[in-house]
Amino acid sequence: MSAARAAAIETALAAAYPDATCELDFRSPYELLVATILSAQCTDARVNTVTPSLFERFPDPRALARADQAELEALIRSTGFFRNKAKSLLGMACAVVERHGGEIPASMGNLRNLPGVGRKTANVVLGTAFGMSTGVVVDTHVARLARRLGLSAEEDPEKIERDLMELFPPATWVPLGHRLIRHGRRVCHARKPECDACPLMPTCPRIDV
DNA sequence: ATCCCGAGGG
DNA sequence: CCCTCTGGAT
């Protein structure tokens, strides 16, 4: 894989998806962290239907830390996995209050030590809420596309991320992640990719995954 | 029926 | 490493 081809892919993606942000509604690192935790196995549009009332009721980590679990579960039920997510949100908020004075920490280590926060969520918050290009978001879509596009031959998300970080300049990491995710959702599906409508054709090697 | 923008736990 | 957790969209 050459840097030139990587650059060409980036250019085509940028043209196809000019809006290089996530589709979650948020106004602070706290709100993005909560929305991202809710987004597992769920569309951003659905998350956006529950977050207004959620943030009105629990506007900051301190309020969320004191939330009643049953009330929290009721508010987020439609996003699926609601018991796990309620537990994660509660644990996350308590940890933020106890360990970080109620402020969402802006470092990979501190974020990942919060309950319910894995590498994907931490990367989203760092890149999109704090504007800290520390890595590339690698979720199932990005992993699949990186392999299909020949950007990485790895399986492990961490290794895929390293490959992407070598291939693309740091300033592109955050928008690249959003664009790959969007492309994966809209066009390059896991089962039946819509190659006819793909802005990356005919350059795509279509590596089978 | 089948799939989905993850993370924790055994 | 594999399993589990959930509702909603298609």
Side-chain angles (χ1 to χ4, degrees):
Chain A
M1 163 59 51
S2 70
R5 200 174 110 69
I9 287 172
E10 188 207 330
T11 303
L13 281 173
Y17 310 103
D19 183 19
T21 179
C22 72
E23 298 170 89
L24 296 168
D25 295 335
F26 68 98
R27 291 163 298 181
S28 65
Y30 163 70
E31 291 194 355
L32 182 59
L33 177 52
V34 169
T36 305
I37 288 173
L38 293 179
S39 76
Q41 295 291 49
C42 176
T43 63
D44 284 1
R46 174 132 305 277
V47 172
N48 290 340
T49 65
V50 311
T51 44
S53 48
L54 189 62
F55 295 148
E56 187 180 355
R57 185 79 180 81
F58 309 112
D60 53 55
R62 291 186 193 282
L64 186 58
R66 285 184 248 107
D68 172 68
Q69 174 125 5
E71 183 188 359
L72 191 52
E73 288 181 1
L75 282 169
I76 66 174
R77 188 178 320 121
S78 71
T79 68
F81 291 174
F82 62 88
R83 263 174 282 254
N84 299 354
K85 289 174 180 176
K87 211 169 295 177
S88 292
L89 291 178
L90 230 24
M92 176 278 285
C94 290
V96 166
V97 170
E98 288 166 15
R99 319 210 273 252
H100 306 290
E103 298 293 317
I104 305 300
S107 80
M108 178 60 79
N110 286 335
L111 279 170
R112 295 237 17 202
N113 282 333
L114 299 174
V117 180
R119 68 177 291 103
K120 187 259 179 180
T121 302
N123 254 150
V124 167
V125 171
L126 283 174
T128 302
F130 288 115
M132 297 177 64
S133 196
T134 57
V136 181
V137 174
V138 178
D139 63 4
T140 53
H141 290 306
V142 177
R144 181 177 71 254
L145 294 214
R147 291 171 51 74
R148 268 191 192 154
L149 291 168
L151 299 171
S152 175
E154 301 288 351
E155 299 276 0
D156 177 16
E158 209 157 327
K159 293 179 181 170
I160 293 174
E161 183 180 6
R162 278 189 214 121
D163 286 343
L164 294 176
M165 289 169 77
E166 278 181 33
L167 235 27
F168 297 89
T172 69
W173 291 346
V174 173
L176 177 72
H178 286 128
R179 287 177 170 133
L180 286 173
I181 288 169
R182 220 173 263 222
H183 185 57
R185 285 225 60 191
R186 301 224 215 292
V187 179
C188 197
H189 309 114
R191 301 285 167 154
K192 181 181 159 278
E194 296 169 31
C195 300
D196 298 339
C198 181
L200 301 181
M201 291 296 283
T203 355
C204 180
R206 303 167 95 161
I207 294 170
D208 231 341
V209 287

